[in-house]
Amino acid sequence: DAGVIQSPRHEVTEMGQEVTLRCKPISGHNSLFWYRQTMMRGLELLIYFNNNVPIDDSGMPEDRFSAKMPNASFSTLKIQPSEPRDSAVYFCASSVSSGNTIYFGEGSWLTVV
Amino acid sequence: AQTVTQSQPEMSVQEAETVTLSCTYDTSESDYYLFWYKQPPSRQMILVIRQEAYKQQNATENRFSVNFQKAAKSFSLKISDSQLGDAAMYFCAYRTTNTGNQFYFGTGTSLTVIP
């Protein structure tokens, strides 16, 4: 079975540009998570969806960040405008809400210069 | 909110030896799940082992086992016969069974395996 699929794997962009990260959760999973990982802050939960509805977005750093889940098989995390401090690895993960294990994608490495 | 604490930022172990990584958590819930994830240099997050809080028996997966002490809110990971491929960052995680099914991660322990 395919795991969580993220794209792009790597992105280098200039400050001020819009960045869109994409995620396809595992089929049948109805919970989706976006995490950010940096050396300074470790693994931070940005937002969590259940059945395509955002449940907890308290981790979204600021208005420059937005996330959507238009259907059960696709989610996006958008940063506009991007800043150098947004450089991080962004992970998407999914799980069955009634289950117990969270499965991660391979991450999107973002560098903002 | 629940918190997960990993008090060992770095650990090292000689190849073929045994190492134990510590994790404590804070919760008022009685039913929950605990996990250990491994993150090698590739940055991929890999599930190592999981434990249901209602089970008294400690989970085991080949060379990996846990020591789950519910009253003490402790969940340590033991790696036996350490191999070079075990070198990675290890994250302890807690999942609530309440509304939201939220996951909480510790700050990680970096494990070095010495040949």
Side-chain angles (χ1 to χ4, degrees), chain A residues 25 29-33 48-51 69 93-98, chain B residues 95 100-101:
Chain A
H29 285 192
N30 55 359
S31 292
L32 184 140
F33 306 79
Y48 156 57
F49 293 88
N50 194 41
N51 294 321
M69 193 165 185
S94 72
S95 75
V96 177
S97 63
S98 59
Chain B
R95 185 174 197 183
N101 282 283

Side-chain angles (χ1 to χ4, degrees), chain A residues 37 48 97 100-102 109, chain B residues 35 37 39 43 50 100-101:
Chain A
Q37 188 177 34
Y48 156 57
S97 63
N100 52 28
T101 301
I102 187 172
W109 295 57
Chain B
F35 306 85
Y37 282 86
Q39 188 179 43
R43 291 285 192 136
R50 67 184 181 208
N101 282 283

Side-chain angles (χ1 to χ4, degrees), chain B residues 5 14 17 33 46 49 51 59 69 81 91 94 112:
Chain B
T5 302
Q14 205 77 32
E17 296 296 311
Y33 301 98
I46 303 166
I49 199 166
Q51 173 84 39
Q69 301 290 328
D81 186 25
F91 291 93
Y94 169 104
T112 299

Side-chain angles (χ1 to χ4, degrees), chain A residues 20-22 29 42 46 52 55 61-62 71 75 83 101:
Chain A
T20 300
L21 307 179
R22 299 172 178 81
H29 285 192
L46 299 178
N52 312 339
I55 302 299
E62 50 200 270
N71 56 62
S75 177
E83 296 182 3
T101 301

